[in-house]
Amino acid sequence: ASSDEGMVGLFLCNMSNKRIKIDYGFSVKYSNGNEAVHKAFKGIKFAARSNNGKVNFTRHSKILDRLVEGSLVIEVHMKLAEPAE
């Protein structure tokens, strides 16, 4: 899937051979550590070797000035919501 014009997509990939159900979130932060953009998801099921995320996570223009020494730093939080199957 492709992001809309001017948008940025962000995905996680389950590389294991087991299905999982997780709670996860993505954060883009300012260089001072404060959150600029945060999206959280609860109880998301990932099939074995599949991905999940947001095709339109945020506007490209919203994160351009969040670069830290030229790099975009994305923090990912995740935990198992249920044991792997």
Side-chain angles (χ1 to χ4, degrees):
S2 295
S3 297
D4 293 339
E5 182 72 28
M7 299 297 287
V8 175
L10 199 53
F11 292 82
L12 283 180
C13 185
N14 175 14
M15 298 298 294
S16 77
N17 291 322
K18 296 182 178 188
R19 291 182 292 169
I20 60 172
K21 184 175 181 181
I22 63 172
D23 300 332
Y24 72 95
F26 299 121
S27 293
V28 176
K29 297 189 174 189
Y30 294 100
S31 58
N32 67 6
N34 292 336
E35 269 184 349
V37 181
H38 177 79
K39 304 274 170 117
F41 311 93
K42 295 248 183 220
I44 304 300
K45 295 178 183 177
F46 285 73
R49 303 217 172 262
S50 71
N51 64 56
N52 197 305
K54 292 295 287 181
V55 172
N56 295 313
F57 174 69
T58 192
R59 293 195 175 285
H60 187 260
S61 60
K62 189 171 184 177
I63 57 175
L64 266 181
D65 63 344
R66 309 312 189 259
L67 301 179
V68 177
E69 296 180 17
S71 298
L72 181 64
V73 178
I74 301 167
E75 191 172 275
V76 179
H77 295 261
M78 60 185 195
K79 69 176 182 175
L80 283 175
E82 291 179 0
E85 298 176 3

